[in-house]
Amino acid sequence: MDVADLANGDRGAHVEDLQGIVDEIYHALTPRLGEGKVADYIPQLAHVDPHKLGIAVVGVDGGVYKAGDCDEAFSIQSISKVFTLTLALGKHGENVWKRVGREPSGSAFNSIVQLEHEEGKPRNPFINAGAIAVSDLVLAGHTPREAIGEIVRFVQYLADDEQIAIDPAVAKSELATGYRNFALANFMRGFGKLDHPVDHVLGVYFHHCALAMTCAQLARSGLFLAAAGRNPLTGHTVVSRQRARRINALMLTCGHYDGSGDFAYRVGLPGKSGVGGGILAVAPGKASMAVWSPGLNHNGNSLLGSLALEMLAHRTGWSVFGP
């Protein structure tokens, strides 16, 4: 079965069909492995084999459906911004929005243009400037080491997996080459939008972007967003139903940078991408899913990962806009 067959296949698949669908999507995309461009501006990511594709779906009922390189750890990069935003909202509540907006940017993820126009207040928490501002909020009352530890423990808690850790080589690589992020942070500091020293804030930011996770771990970590703020596998309430809904809304409108509208059009689900080639997506009330393929499209989102999620959404009928 090829890509066109899958795109035109039956919609509204039952949950018992999911493993077959996931397998079909993986095999349909296998001939295209290696397409796209890896994020070589981060030296450590430039060495990643582009011929990778992993898919994992975890249902709110606990069902797990996997294919391909789903158990190989990769750098989640900007997907971590979902977790730091959740932490910041837990610590500061609605005061977060005094520091960062909730609007799509329409610009590249590392652009400084809007930041100057809007006097140092980032457009949303998922572009780099916004995530740096959120890192500053997470840092409140902590040393950088303590804040990084809190983030790691939170993600371990969400995934119910203590093996999740930061890749120190990736963090070091980002610290050595993240000149634009230093510019963004210093710019915000100049407008009085950061409370802590720039090197402390960026230390937290670079480290949480360097979290390494598998698709299976990542899908589990996002399950609370699919289940109204509660992890159905552990029974733990992570956030309120309203907060889960609002985080999902931001993922839908801002989660893929200047490709967010196209992702909403093609997939119709809240999602957050990372330049490591991963995407976390959420079907509210149904499942959390993660894909990974390192080759990126021109917007910096996984080329095959986006296509895999489009196929999955079409075949299952999962969409926030209707079946």
Side-chain angles (χ1 to χ4, degrees):
M1 183 175 290
D2 64 18
V3 175
D5 292 331
L6 278 171
N8 295 314
D10 293 335
R11 299 185 63 176
H14 298 295
V15 68
E16 58 265 25
D17 300 327
L18 267 177
Q19 186 59 56
I21 290 172
V22 168
D23 288 336
E24 288 175 0
I25 292 170
Y26 174 76
H27 290 300
L29 291 175
T30 297
R32 298 182 60 174
L33 291 179
E35 289 188 21
K37 187 176 187 298
V38 299
D40 55 7
Y41 64 90
I42 300 174
Q44 197 66 23
L45 297 186
H47 305 309
V48 176
D49 181 1
H51 297 84
K52 298 283 186 179
L53 174 62
I55 307 170
V57 180
V58 180
V60 295
D61 62 354
V64 179
Y65 313 92
K66 304 189 295 183
D69 302 299
C70 56
D71 292 315
E72 182 173 338
F74 62 94
S75 184
I76 70 169
Q77 291 294 306
S78 287
I79 302 171
S80 64
K81 298 171 184 177
V82 174
F83 309 129
T84 52
L85 174 62
T86 304
L87 269 178
L89 286 168
K91 296 179 73 167
H92 301 278
E94 293 298 297
N95 287 326
V96 167
W97 308 120
K98 296 177 181 178
R99 303 284 293 275
V100 63
R102 299 189 296 267
E103 296 295 332
S105 67
S107 300
F109 57 86
N110 56 3
S111 172
I112 201 170
V113 175
Q114 282 178 333
L115 197 60
E116 181 172 14
H117 179 69
E118 295 171 0
E119 299 184 338
K121 183 178 180 179
R123 183 65 68 91
N124 67 68
F126 294 148
I127 55 176
N128 288 17
I132 291 168
V134 169
S135 295
D136 185 57
L137 292 169
V138 173
L139 187 52
H142 292 309
T143 66
R145 183 182 294 273
E146 290 168 344
I148 294 165
E150 181 182 29
I151 294 166
V152 173
R153 288 190 298 272
F154 181 58
V155 176
Q156 291 173 339
Y157 163 76
L158 292 177
D160 195 24
D161 190 337
E162 294 183 355
Q163 300 302 309
I164 294 168
I166 287 167
D167 184 331
V170 173
K172 183 178 179 180
S173 183
E174 294 201 57
L175 184 63
T177 59
Y179 305 115
R180 289 194 182 185
N181 288 319
F182 275 100
L184 292 170
N186 278 291
F187 201 80
M188 287 190 287
R189 179 78 166 175
F191 275 104
K193 302 298 185 182
L194 296 183
D195 294 332
H196 302 88
V198 165
D199 59 331
H200 289 191
V201 177
L202 288 178
V204 174
Y205 174 76
F206 289 138
H207 278 82
H208 75 66
C209 285
L211 276 163
M213 299 175 71
T214 68
C215 288
Q217 291 171 330
L218 187 57
R220 286 199 303 272
S221 72
L223 199 56
F224 76 100
L225 294 171
R230 179 177 173 272
N231 185 331
L233 305 186
T234 64
H236 298 151
T237 296
V238 181
V239 297
S240 68
R241 178 183 295 269
Q242 181 186 61
R243 183 160 291 167
R245 186 168 65 243
R246 288 178 169 177
I247 293 171
N248 281 334
L250 286 165
M251 291 171 67
L252 180 72
T253 57
C254 308
H256 281 71
Y257 312 119
D258 46 338
S260 297
D262 190 62
F263 187 82
Y265 177 81
R266 294 179 180 279
V267 180
L269 295 172
K272 182 70 196 83
S273 65
V275 296
I279 304 174
L280 171 66
V282 176
K286 302 292 185 181
S288 172
M289 59 213 84
V291 294
W292 171 53
S293 186
L296 308 179
N297 62 21
H298 66 282
N299 289 320
N301 304 314
S302 175
L303 193 157
L304 295 188
S306 298
L307 187 54
L309 288 171
E310 181 180 357
M311 294 174 179
L312 183 62
H314 186 89
R315 289 295 304 277
T316 58
W318 292 344
S319 170
V320 298
F321 302 112

